[in-house]
Amino acid sequence: MKDGPDIAYVASLIGEPVRANMLTALMAGRALTASELAHEAGITLQTASSHLGKLEQGGLLRQRKQGRHKYFSLASGEVAATLEALMGLAVSAGHLRTRPGPKDAALREARVCYNHLAGEMGTRLFGGLVGRGLLVTQDEDVRLSAAGDEFVRAFGIDLDALTAKRAPVCKQCLDWSERRSHLAGSLGRALLDRFEALGWATRDGKSRVVTFSAKGRAGFEGLLAG
Amino acid sequence: MKDGPDIAYVASLIGEPVRANMLTALMAGRALTASELAHEAGITLQTASSHLGKLEQGGLLRQRKQGRHKYFSLASGEVAATLEALMGLAVSAGHLRTRPGPKDAALREARVCYNHLAGEMGTRLFGGLVGRGLLVTQDEDVRLSAAGDEFVRAFGIDLDALTAKRAPVCKQCLDWSERRSHLAGSLGRALLDRFEALGWATRDGKSRVVTFSAKGRAGFEGLLAG
DNA sequence: TTCATAGTTCGATGATAGTCGAACCATTTG
DNA sequence: CAAATGGTTCGACTATCATCGAACTATGAA
């Protein structure tokens, strides 16, 4: 009947294959131009423009103009979380777009989710920080303990800059491959950025895959162990 | 970009208005027959049969035959959680199917989510049980404390029967109206059932609305206070 | 200014998919 | 058994919408 939010409208936006490809591409966290997204999805620029307009109107994308370029990114972490939830359903129903291959394994091990680390490494990181008492969970909220505060600063992250902003510092995000939470929020983003800056991890330019260097793996395990 | 689960397939299933109506109707937790769902969505039985077949094939619905009737229900709590996530997006984008009315307010106060209590009453219940130390949260997991175990039994719930089954007893589920968690899982279901048995609450036959009696409200507040 | 690139708008086309009538199975009831 | 109800399958119709060519605007470079 006619009560509740219009779920069909949003779902139909995501349900078009080309638009789903665009959204999946944007799950990598980088803002992409209309041309890049068109190329990514294998369609012309006119068609892409139409799709992007609908996605923006539906509140799934945000866009900012920069010169003659128009950069698109996911509107919020909630959008990313919903996409992950849909991926979970697709997996459990056995609907993969491709046979599980090497790329699939890499995705499960470590990938970018919007702007933070997901996959096995992501959930291990979350679990490790909680285990060391640096993160404290209460209901569905997460926050840094005093020790965690100190740890984050020592790791080279400007925590004051994060807390100054309105966006939540710590947030949980559910994994389609692991079925466990990993750390989102501005701290989740800052940690992944720091991993990159330290040369621990590199993002693939084309996909969501994150690859860790030998040094990175060692450092990562050190983090978990304390 | 052919990596990852086929999100478009699942989303397009939900994105068809008639199917979305059916899924929303099933969020009330009751299993419904094909005819009932057809009537609910305002279409003929032939069309409904086609839609239901697709939803089942997509892993969103489960069906069981009983005599000459065919009862449909949501396939899992994950499906319900994903639908709630989509509702959250639709709300934040301002896409309601109807103007917020009295029914909307009732839905926000107390409603059925799949098989357990959601809305303000749902999140208050969850928060109250955690506050009294009866429920313990760790990461995204929830479990009963020793005191909680005793409390549940004293409340008249056959806890042994719940734990004997494979399904998780405690589980968190996110609310689109409250943006907080409430209690799902077999215990969440059992609690709502018990509320009904005690005459505390009654479900509306047609919608997801749950209405509490005066006695129910008093008892409910007593639960939270301890 | 002239050229080039990025993006939008419009209109025509074509394919996908939702819809229902009609005929068909299956189960229950009289 | 026959009648009735619940549900499925098939085929034809129709509407929606993604797609792209063509023309247009806007920003940047030479």
Side-chain angles (χ1 to χ4, degrees):
Chain A
M1 300 312 285
K2 313 192 255 176
D3 52 348
D6 190 355
I7 176 183
Y9 172 71
V10 178
S12 69
L13 285 178
I14 309 175
E16 211 287 321
V18 165
R19 288 195 289 259
N21 278 335
M22 290 174 161
L23 291 169
T24 306
L26 289 172
M27 284 286 279
R30 296 205 160 88
L32 298 175
T33 66
S35 317
E36 288 171 325
L37 285 165
H39 182 73
E40 187 85 16
I43 52 172
T44 63
L45 189 53
Q46 306 99 301
T47 310
S49 179
S50 160
H51 284 306
L52 291 169
K54 289 173 186 174
L55 286 173
E56 195 200 346
Q57 173 139 9
L60 296 178
L61 294 187
R62 284 192 323 165
Q63 122 264 25
R64 70 168 194 277
K65 271 198 253 182
Q66 213 165 79
R68 59 180 166 180
H69 293 273
K70 206 166 177 179
Y71 282 92
F72 289 90
S73 51
L74 295 186
S76 68
E78 272 114 35
V79 174
T82 305
L83 294 176
E84 285 268 338
L86 283 168
M87 290 181 191
L89 286 189
V91 169
S92 66
H95 290 289
L96 295 174
R97 275 188 296 190
T98 52
R99 312 255 174 283
K103 204 166 193 177
D104 192 73
L107 272 179
R108 283 171 191 275
E109 193 193 4
R111 67 175 179 278
V112 171
C113 172
Y114 190 33
N115 55 21
H116 52 271
L117 185 64
E120 193 194 334
M121 302 283 275
T123 56
R124 285 188 62 209
L125 176 63
F126 184 73
L129 295 178
V130 172
R132 287 184 60 189
L134 305 176
L135 278 180
V136 180
T137 61
Q138 184 179 18
D139 297 0
E140 76 276 16
D141 295 329
V142 199
R143 57 178 184 79
L144 279 171
S145 66
D149 190 294
E150 201 172 338
F151 163 82
V152 167
R153 292 176 197 277
F155 194 57
I157 290 175
D158 184 357
L159 191 52
D160 295 321
L162 299 186
T163 49
K165 299 197 172 180
R166 243 188 343 210
V169 175
C170 297
K171 220 176 158 192
Q172 294 194 36
C173 184
L174 214 73
D175 237 283
W176 60 263
S177 57
E178 294 285 306
R179 301 208 172 194
R180 289 184 58 79
S181 283
H182 56 253
L183 184 65
S186 60
L187 178 58
R189 174 194 200 124
L191 277 173
L192 178 55
D193 290 348
R194 191 78 185 121
F195 289 166
E196 279 193 297
L198 289 172
W200 286 15
T202 51
R203 307 186 197 188
D204 182 13
K206 296 286 177 189
S207 74
R208 298 173 63 191
V209 171
V210 173
T211 42
F212 274 74
S213 65
K215 182 180 73 175
R217 287 184 188 278
F220 187 85
E221 297 302 328
L223 276 192
L224 302 190
Chain B
M1 292 304 295
K2 309 192 256 176
D3 53 349
D6 191 354
I7 176 183
Y9 173 70
V10 178
S12 69
L13 285 179
I14 309 174
E16 211 286 321
V18 165
R19 287 196 290 260
N21 279 335
M22 291 174 161
L23 291 169
T24 306
L26 289 172
M27 285 286 278
R30 295 206 160 87
L32 298 174
T33 66
S35 319
E36 288 171 326
L37 287 165
H39 182 72
E40 186 86 16
I43 51 174
T44 63
L45 190 54
Q46 307 97 297
T47 310
S49 179
S50 158
H51 285 306
L52 291 170
K54 288 171 187 173
L55 286 173
E56 195 200 345
Q57 173 140 10
L60 296 178
L61 293 187
R62 283 191 324 163
Q63 124 264 23
R64 70 169 193 277
K65 270 196 255 183
Q66 212 165 80
R68 58 182 168 182
H69 294 272
K70 206 165 177 181
Y71 282 92
F72 290 90
S73 52
L74 295 186
S76 67
E78 273 112 35
V79 174
T82 305
L83 294 176
E84 284 268 338
L86 283 168
M87 289 181 191
L89 287 189
V91 169
S92 65
H95 290 290
L96 294 176
R97 276 186 296 187
T98 51
R99 313 256 174 282
K103 205 166 190 174
D104 192 74
L107 272 179
R108 285 172 190 275
E109 191 193 5
R111 67 175 179 276
V112 171
C113 172
Y114 189 32
N115 54 20
H116 53 271
L117 184 65
E120 191 193 334
M121 303 282 276
T123 57
R124 285 187 62 207
L125 175 64
F126 184 73
L129 295 179
V130 171
R132 287 185 58 191
L134 303 176
L135 278 180
V136 180
T137 62
Q138 183 180 19
D139 298 359
E140 76 277 16
D141 295 330
V142 199
R143 58 180 183 78
L144 279 170
S145 66
D149 188 296
E150 202 171 335
F151 163 81
V152 167
R153 292 176 196 277
F155 194 58
I157 289 175
D158 185 358
L159 192 52
D160 296 320
L162 300 186
T163 50
K165 299 195 174 181
R166 244 191 339 214
V169 174
C170 299
K171 220 175 157 189
Q172 294 194 35
C173 184
L174 216 72
D175 237 282
W176 61 262
S177 57
E178 295 285 305
R179 301 209 173 197
R180 289 184 56 79
S181 281
H182 56 253
L183 184 65
S186 61
L187 178 59
R189 176 196 197 122
L191 277 172
L192 178 56
D193 290 347
R194 191 77 185 122
F195 288 167
E196 278 193 297
L198 289 171
W200 287 14
T202 51
R203 310 186 197 187
D204 182 12
K206 296 286 178 188
S207 73
R208 299 173 62 191
V209 172
V210 174
T211 43
F212 274 74
S213 65
K215 181 179 75 174
R217 288 185 188 279
F220 187 85
E221 299 301 330
L223 276 192
L224 303 189

